[in-house]
Amino acid sequence: NVGDDNPFVLTLQTGETDIAADDIIGKIDFQAPDEGTGTDAILVAAGIEAISEGDFAANSNATKLSFKTGASEAAAEKMSLSSGGNLTVSGTLGCGAITSTGISSFAGGVTPASADGAALGSASLEWSDLYLADSSVVYFGSDQEVTLTHVADIGLTLKHTANTDDKPIVLTLATGETDIQANDVIGTINFQAPDEGTGTDAILVCAGISAIS
């Protein structure tokens, strides 16, 4: 048919009448069975499988796609796409831009392709919030010599990790002003209890330290 929107369709159908969880609906395997070197070379090298995620019913045909590859083995699952659209990758994901409209879960680390090789967010695409666990540490510098550590139920500790002499930790409050005038505040540290239940004066800044020109 030469009309519009008439593609060729290849359908893999199973004859099963009661699909249960983890049943394979259909699969495509890639293999070189006549390869002369034998052993691993003649095993299934790659494959795609459609696998049921639960018992099929009148209101459910939940199925995932399993993508399998082999290195020195019969092809095994390295990536899967769930019925809900969740993509799971067991190795390193190397690509250009990734757009996720849902929640992405990672079992291992997420790293840039090279040291100092990528930014988290940009000047126009900022992240909203960052959640870190108890006792989490933020490391700064190529040698991770400056750390900011969460102390559970207490606060934060800023530390210079070098154990050599004369290596203090320095916290600098810098203004971006280009013309400092008399009585300009260069920097301020304020102390406040903004969640105090009595409100009014109780939630105002109660103490502070300022450097004033």
Side-chain angles (χ1 to χ4, degrees):
N1 192 325
V2 296
D4 186 47
D5 197 23
N6 283 289
F8 175 81
V9 178
L10 174 64
T11 301
L12 304 185
Q13 294 181 335
T14 177
E16 293 186 53
T17 59
D18 186 11
I19 300 296
D22 298 321
D23 279 356
I24 297 175
I25 311 299
K27 61 189 290 186
I28 300 173
D29 282 338
F30 302 87
Q31 188 176 19
D34 299 323
E35 162 62 37
T37 53
T39 319
D40 287 351
I42 62 174
L43 300 177
V44 171
I48 302 172
E49 297 181 354
I51 304 174
S52 63
E53 293 180 322
D55 290 344
F56 274 26
N59 61 349
S60 176
N61 65 342
T63 303
K64 78 169 184 177
L65 284 177
S66 171
F67 298 87
K68 307 167 70 175
T69 58
S72 180
E73 58 184 326
E77 182 178 288
K78 303 301 193 304
M79 183 176 73
S80 66
L81 181 64
S82 76
S83 60
N86 297 318
L87 182 67
T88 301
V89 180
S90 62
T92 299
L93 183 62
C95 60
I98 300 177
T99 300
S100 174
T101 57
I103 297 175
S104 299
S105 299
F106 300 90
V110 179
T111 60
S114 60
D116 198 22
L120 187 62
S122 70
S124 59
L125 293 172
E126 308 88 349
W127 295 93
S128 55
D129 299 299
L130 177 65
Y131 294 86
L132 299 176
D134 281 350
S135 303
S136 57
V137 183
V138 179
Y139 297 89
F140 297 93
S142 297
D143 298 324
Q144 298 84 50
E145 76 281 2
V146 175
T147 62
L148 182 64
T149 304
H150 172 250
V151 182
D153 303 320
I154 295 177
L156 298 172
T157 299
L158 184 64
K159 179 183 180 181
H160 196 307
T161 61
N163 55 19
T164 53
D165 186 46
D166 196 25
K167 291 289 185 181
I169 185 68
V170 177
L171 176 63
T172 302
L173 305 184
T175 178
E177 292 186 54
T178 59
D179 187 11
I180 301 297
Q181 304 295 316
N183 298 319
D184 279 357
V185 177
I186 310 301
T188 297
I189 299 175
N190 284 331
F191 302 86
Q192 188 177 18
D195 299 321
E196 163 61 39
T198 53
T200 318
D201 288 353
I203 62 175
L204 300 177
V205 171
C206 56
I209 303 169
S210 294
I212 303 173
S213 64

